[in-house]
Amino acid sequence: MKRTRRQSLKSPATNGAVDTADNDDVSERIRNTLAAAIGEGALKPGTKILEEAIAEHFGVSRTVVRGALGVLESDHLLERKRNRGTFVAEPSIEQAKSLFEARRKLERLLLELVIIRATPEQLDALERLTDEEEHIHHHGDEKSKTVLSGKFHIALADLAGNPVLTEMLSKIVARLSLVMSLYEEDRKDDCGADHHRMIVAALKAKDLAKAQDLMDHHLADIEGRVRLTEGQGDRHTFLAVLENFS
């Protein structure tokens, strides 16, 4: 009997560990799904997050869903409003300016490390990515272009060999996708492949100054597409409502 009791006492603990692991896996899937939808513009700034729908879709409790949303809140992709729920974040003008500034500084630093650490084979692979960008620019749909827009910069950051800096850039790029959704005025049908290709060429030539100048020009071009005014943010939010209800 004692042996049977010991076995029965172990089972709940084992099941609990499995359940926790399963919940962690689903929580990560929820985070990745929402982050991708935000990054691709499918979930616009100000969109309400429906916890019940997420829980039903993934087959988990709302407690698990709230845990996943909490992580995205800490990454500033979502924001909780008292007595109203959780919404896709709407970056302020000051936050947008800070994000652009942080990205400029970080990308210059990453280029310094890439010059030192990237192998010729890795730079060749990065150059092939610019070929993919150009092909999608001419033949892909809008979703493909959006997905690819930040891929070059994250791939470039990976070559710096510092996962912490890569994670920082990934989070900044994700938050800037919200800035572009809110404040972009000049929507260019341009994936930046030409700029990217020139940056890779400078890296291959070990010309750090030129690579940084090209990156500054490229990022300035992106920033030039936004108009950081409260009215612009309100206008985009209102247009999103019209698109959803008309």
Short mmCIF file of all heavy atoms in Angstrom, two decimals, residues 6 29 32 36-37 71-72 76 79 83 85 93 105 117 121 124 135 146 150 157 168 178 182-183 194 202 226 245:
data_model
loop_
_atom_site.label_atom_id
_atom_site.label_comp_id
_atom_site.label_asym_id
_atom_site.label_seq_id
_atom_site.Cartn_x
_atom_site.Cartn_y
_atom_site.Cartn_z
N ARG A 6 2.95 6.20 -2.58
CA ARG A 6 4.04 7.02 -3.06
C ARG A 6 3.90 7.31 -4.56
O ARG A 6 4.15 8.41 -5.03
CB ARG A 6 5.39 6.32 -2.79
CG ARG A 6 5.85 6.47 -1.34
CD ARG A 6 7.35 6.19 -1.26
NE ARG A 6 7.67 4.83 -1.67
CZ ARG A 6 7.70 3.78 -0.83
NH1 ARG A 6 7.41 3.96 0.45
NH2 ARG A 6 8.01 2.58 -1.28
N ARG A 29 3.87 30.89 -28.01
CA ARG A 29 3.18 30.93 -29.30
C ARG A 29 2.26 32.14 -29.37
O ARG A 29 2.16 32.80 -30.42
CB ARG A 29 2.40 29.64 -29.52
CG ARG A 29 3.27 28.44 -29.89
CD ARG A 29 2.47 27.15 -29.81
NE ARG A 29 1.25 27.23 -30.61
CZ ARG A 29 0.15 26.50 -30.38
NH1 ARG A 29 0.12 25.66 -29.35
NH2 ARG A 29 -0.90 26.63 -31.14
N ASN A 32 4.45 35.23 -29.86
CA ASN A 32 5.00 35.29 -31.22
C ASN A 32 3.93 35.65 -32.24
O ASN A 32 4.17 36.41 -33.19
CB ASN A 32 5.64 33.95 -31.59
CG ASN A 32 6.92 33.69 -30.82
OD1 ASN A 32 7.53 34.61 -30.28
ND2 ASN A 32 7.32 32.43 -30.74
N ALA A 36 4.07 39.13 -34.29
CA ALA A 36 4.14 39.09 -35.76
C ALA A 36 3.01 39.89 -36.37
O ALA A 36 3.20 40.63 -37.34
CB ALA A 36 4.10 37.64 -36.24
N ALA A 37 1.81 39.74 -35.82
CA ALA A 37 0.65 40.47 -36.35
C ALA A 37 0.84 41.98 -36.19
O ALA A 37 0.46 42.75 -37.08
CB ALA A 37 -0.62 40.02 -35.64
N VAL A 71 4.08 40.02 -20.96
CA VAL A 71 5.41 40.11 -21.55
C VAL A 71 5.42 41.14 -22.68
O VAL A 71 6.35 41.95 -22.80
CB VAL A 71 5.86 38.73 -22.08
CG1 VAL A 71 7.20 38.85 -22.80
CG2 VAL A 71 5.97 37.73 -20.94
N LEU A 72 4.39 41.12 -23.51
CA LEU A 72 4.31 42.08 -24.62
C LEU A 72 4.12 43.51 -24.10
O LEU A 72 4.56 44.47 -24.73
CB LEU A 72 3.18 41.70 -25.57
CG LEU A 72 3.38 40.37 -26.31
CD1 LEU A 72 2.15 40.04 -27.15
CD2 LEU A 72 4.62 40.44 -27.20
N HIS A 76 6.54 46.94 -24.52
CA HIS A 76 5.89 48.16 -25.01
C HIS A 76 5.16 47.98 -26.34
O HIS A 76 4.93 48.95 -27.06
CB HIS A 76 6.91 49.30 -25.14
CG HIS A 76 7.66 49.58 -23.87
ND1 HIS A 76 7.09 50.24 -22.81
CD2 HIS A 76 8.92 49.26 -23.50
CE1 HIS A 76 7.97 50.33 -21.83
NE2 HIS A 76 9.09 49.73 -22.22
N GLU A 79 -0.45 47.87 -24.30
CA GLU A 79 -0.62 48.70 -23.11
C GLU A 79 -1.98 48.41 -22.49
O GLU A 79 -2.98 48.25 -23.21
CB GLU A 79 -0.47 50.19 -23.44
CG GLU A 79 -1.38 50.69 -24.55
CD GLU A 79 -1.03 52.11 -24.97
OE1 GLU A 79 0.02 52.62 -24.53
OE2 GLU A 79 -1.82 52.70 -25.74
N ASN A 83 -9.73 49.46 -16.47
CA ASN A 83 -11.17 49.24 -16.68
C ASN A 83 -11.57 49.17 -18.15
O ASN A 83 -12.76 49.17 -18.47
CB ASN A 83 -12.00 50.35 -15.99
CG ASN A 83 -11.77 50.38 -14.50
OD1 ASN A 83 -11.58 49.34 -13.87
ND2 ASN A 83 -11.78 51.57 -13.92
N GLY A 85 -9.19 47.32 -20.66
CA GLY A 85 -8.57 46.15 -21.26
C GLY A 85 -7.18 46.44 -21.80
O GLY A 85 -6.55 47.44 -21.45
N ILE A 93 4.76 60.87 -29.51
CA ILE A 93 5.74 61.53 -30.36
C ILE A 93 7.12 61.48 -29.72
O ILE A 93 8.13 61.20 -30.39
CB ILE A 93 5.31 62.99 -30.63
CG1 ILE A 93 4.08 63.01 -31.54
CG2 ILE A 93 6.45 63.79 -31.26
CD1 ILE A 93 3.48 64.37 -31.73
N LYS A 105 21.92 55.20 -33.16
CA LYS A 105 23.13 54.94 -32.37
C LYS A 105 23.48 53.45 -32.37
O LYS A 105 24.65 53.07 -32.50
CB LYS A 105 22.93 55.43 -30.94
CG LYS A 105 22.63 56.91 -30.79
CD LYS A 105 23.80 57.77 -31.24
CE LYS A 105 23.52 59.25 -30.98
NZ LYS A 105 24.62 60.12 -31.48
N ARG A 117 33.97 41.26 -37.02
CA ARG A 117 33.65 39.86 -36.77
C ARG A 117 33.05 39.08 -37.93
O ARG A 117 33.14 37.86 -37.98
CB ARG A 117 32.69 39.77 -35.57
CG ARG A 117 33.29 40.30 -34.28
CD ARG A 117 32.27 40.34 -33.16
NE ARG A 117 32.88 40.81 -31.91
CZ ARG A 117 32.20 41.09 -30.80
NH1 ARG A 117 30.87 40.96 -30.79
NH2 ARG A 117 32.83 41.51 -29.72
N GLU A 121 31.92 34.84 -45.99
CA GLU A 121 30.76 33.99 -46.30
C GLU A 121 29.48 34.58 -45.72
O GLU A 121 28.42 34.56 -46.36
CB GLU A 121 30.98 32.57 -45.77
CG GLU A 121 32.09 31.79 -46.45
CD GLU A 121 33.48 32.22 -46.02
OE1 GLU A 121 33.60 32.89 -44.96
OE2 GLU A 121 34.44 31.91 -46.76
N ASP A 124 28.46 37.49 -47.81
CA ASP A 124 27.87 37.00 -49.06
C ASP A 124 26.41 36.63 -48.86
O ASP A 124 25.55 36.93 -49.70
CB ASP A 124 28.65 35.78 -49.58
CG ASP A 124 30.01 36.15 -50.18
OD1 ASP A 124 30.20 37.34 -50.51
OD2 ASP A 124 30.86 35.26 -50.30
N HIS A 135 13.76 41.16 -55.36
CA HIS A 135 12.78 40.31 -56.05
C HIS A 135 11.39 40.52 -55.47
O HIS A 135 10.41 40.66 -56.22
CB HIS A 135 13.20 38.84 -55.93
CG HIS A 135 12.20 37.89 -56.51
ND1 HIS A 135 12.10 37.67 -57.88
CD2 HIS A 135 11.24 37.11 -55.93
CE1 HIS A 135 11.12 36.80 -58.10
NE2 HIS A 135 10.59 36.46 -56.94
N THR A 146 6.32 43.83 -46.12
CA THR A 146 6.32 44.25 -44.73
C THR A 146 7.14 43.31 -43.87
O THR A 146 7.92 43.74 -43.02
CB THR A 146 4.87 44.32 -44.19
OG1 THR A 146 4.10 45.18 -45.01
CG2 THR A 146 4.85 44.81 -42.75
N GLY A 150 12.26 44.61 -42.02
CA GLY A 150 13.26 44.68 -40.94
C GLY A 150 14.21 43.51 -40.92
O GLY A 150 15.13 43.47 -40.09
N ALA A 157 22.56 42.61 -37.67
CA ALA A 157 22.88 42.64 -36.24
C ALA A 157 23.42 41.30 -35.77
O ALA A 157 24.33 41.25 -34.93
CB ALA A 157 21.63 43.02 -35.44
N MET A 168 18.10 43.93 -28.49
CA MET A 168 17.73 45.34 -28.34
C MET A 168 17.22 45.91 -29.66
O MET A 168 16.18 46.60 -29.69
CB MET A 168 18.93 46.15 -27.85
CG MET A 168 19.33 45.87 -26.41
SD MET A 168 20.90 46.69 -25.96
CE MET A 168 20.46 48.42 -26.20
N LEU A 178 5.06 50.21 -35.00
CA LEU A 178 3.88 50.92 -34.49
C LEU A 178 3.97 52.40 -34.81
O LEU A 178 2.97 53.04 -35.15
CB LEU A 178 3.75 50.72 -32.98
CG LEU A 178 3.47 49.29 -32.51
CD1 LEU A 178 3.53 49.20 -30.99
CD2 LEU A 178 2.11 48.83 -33.01
N LEU A 182 1.33 54.63 -37.13
CA LEU A 182 0.63 55.81 -36.62
C LEU A 182 0.97 57.09 -37.36
O LEU A 182 0.10 57.93 -37.62
CB LEU A 182 0.97 56.00 -35.13
CG LEU A 182 0.04 55.41 -34.09
CD1 LEU A 182 0.57 55.72 -32.69
CD2 LEU A 182 -1.38 55.91 -34.23
N TYR A 183 2.24 57.25 -37.71
CA TYR A 183 2.70 58.56 -38.15
C TYR A 183 3.22 58.62 -39.59
O TYR A 183 3.56 59.70 -40.07
CB TYR A 183 3.81 59.06 -37.22
CG TYR A 183 3.38 59.20 -35.78
CD1 TYR A 183 3.78 58.27 -34.82
CD2 TYR A 183 2.57 60.25 -35.38
CE1 TYR A 183 3.40 58.39 -33.49
CE2 TYR A 183 2.17 60.39 -34.05
CZ TYR A 183 2.59 59.45 -33.11
OH TYR A 183 2.20 59.58 -31.80
N ASP A 194 18.42 48.80 -52.43
CA ASP A 194 19.58 49.50 -52.97
C ASP A 194 20.48 50.01 -51.84
O ASP A 194 21.71 49.87 -51.89
CB ASP A 194 19.14 50.67 -53.85
CG ASP A 194 18.53 50.20 -55.17
OD1 ASP A 194 18.79 49.04 -55.55
OD2 ASP A 194 17.80 50.99 -55.79
N ALA A 202 30.14 48.29 -48.68
CA ALA A 202 31.07 49.02 -47.83
C ALA A 202 31.67 48.12 -46.75
O ALA A 202 32.85 48.22 -46.42
CB ALA A 202 30.37 50.22 -47.20
N VAL A 226 7.73 59.91 -41.90
CA VAL A 226 6.75 60.12 -40.84
C VAL A 226 6.60 61.60 -40.53
O VAL A 226 7.53 62.40 -40.72
CB VAL A 226 7.14 59.36 -39.54
CG1 VAL A 226 7.31 57.88 -39.81
CG2 VAL A 226 8.40 59.93 -38.93
N PHE A 245 -14.94 49.46 -40.47
CA PHE A 245 -16.41 49.51 -40.42
C PHE A 245 -17.05 49.88 -41.75
O PHE A 245 -18.26 50.04 -41.82
CB PHE A 245 -16.86 50.51 -39.34
CG PHE A 245 -16.64 50.01 -37.95
CD1 PHE A 245 -15.45 50.26 -37.29
CD2 PHE A 245 -17.61 49.25 -37.30
CE1 PHE A 245 -15.24 49.79 -36.00
CE2 PHE A 245 -17.42 48.79 -36.03
CZ PHE A 245 -16.23 49.05 -35.37
#
